[in-house]
Amino acid sequence: MKIISSPGEMTAWAAKQAGAGKRIGLVPTMGFFHAGHLGLMRLAGRHADLVVVSLFVNPAQFGPGEDLAAYPRDFDRDRELAEKEGVAVLFVPDAASMYPGGFQTTVRVGRLTRYLCGASRPGHFDGVATVVCKLFHITAADCAVFGEKDFQQLAVIRRMVADLNMAVEIIGHPIVREADGLALSSRNAYLDERSRNSALCLSRALALAQKSAAEGILETRELAGRLRDFILAFPGTEIDYIAFIDSRSLEPVAAVDADTRLALAVKINGRVRLIDNGPVLQPTASPGATA
Ligand code: PAF
């Protein structure tokens, strides 16, 4: 596996591979790999000849007072894991090479970024869209894989690609969970045993919403009230949002239907902000389907 830190060298490598007819699959990451990241790398490998993983803790997507400095990092472990997955290049630029002096361009996606994390983290998606756009160009990606845990991020990137006519196929990877339901996240590294237990409020609230909807409670105001009480019963939880949204527009909906997704953001012990999401109505088995 090659380690490349210079954007220019990365572009030159990518141009050579593209010239040789190779399809490049990009997995953009901020490192501190877990099984979810490895799943993204494997999926990219099924869609491309060569997998490039970028590892860049992007300062432009962190707001003041967020966890940029504390964000978990372990380059040696990440390098080993990526190598084992057969990654061709680990691209590890630094902030000065991604945002050199004089940098003044921002990619801003409109309405989709008004809701959810966009409302709680002003400017976050400008930082994400800008860096992802740069990474697509630098790596000449033919396809790129993103996790569905960051559901809004995936929607924003799909919108950017469509709006700006980027020739990059965007592939979503389902959320990877621990056996007890906790969605994998690099930020889980911040959780001690007690707060990890409280972090289960997210996946359990999702299960509660699904159960309640299956029992016929479809009015989202009522569902949100139940979830609020349920989440706040876990010690040290502070709700950022409980949102029942349309899967495509991300706009809030009044009643659950087949396109409704529940998106949650909860702060644990005033420090660790976690997100999760999922469909509210479970797809029913099609007629004639066998178990
Ligand atoms: O999901 C992430 O890890 C980041 O937002 C991304 C897509 C790598 C952009 O910095």
Side-chain angles (χ1 to χ4, degrees):
M1 183 178 73
K2 260 176 106 63
I3 311 275
I4 298 181
S5 55
S6 138
E9 194 188 327
M10 185 68 243
T11 301
W13 181 90
K16 197 164 152 216
Q17 304 309 325
K22 302 286 188 203
R23 184 173 157 86
I24 296 173
L26 172 68
V27 180
T29 81
M30 298 204 300
F32 211 68
F33 297 154
H34 50 64
H37 292 110
L38 307 185
L40 305 184
M41 295 175 203
R42 270 170 229 156
L43 185 57
R46 294 208 285 278
H47 286 262
D49 301 308
L50 296 164
V51 175
V52 174
V53 174
S54 63
L55 192 174
F56 177 57
V57 183
N58 172 34
Q61 68 189 74
F62 288 79
E66 290 188 350
D67 57 345
L68 172 62
Y71 197 83
R73 291 162 169 91
D74 189 341
F75 176 70
D76 291 337
R77 185 174 160 276
D78 284 351
R79 182 180 47 198
E80 246 173 61
L81 289 170
E83 184 137 40
K84 275 199 197 127
E85 290 303 326
V87 166
V89 175
L90 187 59
F91 175 49
V92 280
D94 62 12
S97 64
M98 289 295 277
Y99 303 112
F103 186 92
Q104 50 188 291
T105 301
T106 299
V107 179
R108 173 165 303 153
V109 176
R111 219 169 36 245
L112 281 179
T113 66
R114 278 195 211 146
Y115 311 104
L116 312 173
C117 295
S120 342
R121 304 182 67 189
H124 169 68
F125 286 114
D126 295 352
V128 170
T130 304
V131 82
V132 169
C133 174
K134 283 173 67 75
L135 290 168
F136 285 174
H137 289 305
I138 293 168
T139 63
D142 294 290
C143 64
V145 184
F146 295 86
E148 287 175 359
K149 185 174 72 66
D150 296 291
F151 189 74
Q152 186 176 18
Q153 169 171 280
L154 182 55
V156 165
I157 288 160
R158 286 192 199 282
R159 187 74 261 157
M160 171 184 79
V161 163
D163 290 353
L164 300 182
N165 305 83
M166 295 175 167
V168 185
E169 182 194 359
I170 303 301
I171 301 158
H173 188 288
I175 298 177
V176 180
R177 297 181 182 278
E178 304 270 14
D180 60 7
L182 182 69
L184 295 193
S185 163
S186 301
R187 289 189 168 98
N188 291 350
Y190 299 138
L191 299 169
D192 58 20
E193 200 184 324
R194 200 159 164 268
S195 48
R196 192 193 173 290
N197 201 47
S198 288
L200 289 174
C201 71
L202 290 110
S203 55
R204 294 198 177 156
L206 188 52
L208 175 61
Q210 288 164 341
K211 179 170 173 285
S212 306
E215 288 167 359
I217 301 166
L218 298 176
E219 208 241 306
T220 58
R221 199 202 299 238
E222 183 178 349
L223 286 169
R226 282 186 177 208
L227 297 192
R228 186 169 303 110
D229 295 343
F230 178 79
I231 290 171
L232 293 177
F234 286 76
T237 52
E238 196 184 312
I239 295 167
D240 181 350
Y241 59 74
I242 297 172
F244 289 88
I245 54 167
D246 176 80
S247 301
R248 280 176 291 264
S249 68
L250 307 189
E251 287 179 20
V253 296
V256 167
D257 67 21
D259 292 323
T260 304
R261 220 164 168 96
L262 169 62
L264 299 168
V266 178
K267 229 182 207 178
I268 312 290
N269 288 340
R271 197 169 91 82
V272 190
R273 184 179 175 281
L274 298 176
I275 57 173
D276 202 345
N277 72 84
V280 183
L281 291 180
Q282 302 285 33
T284 47
S286 53
T290 50

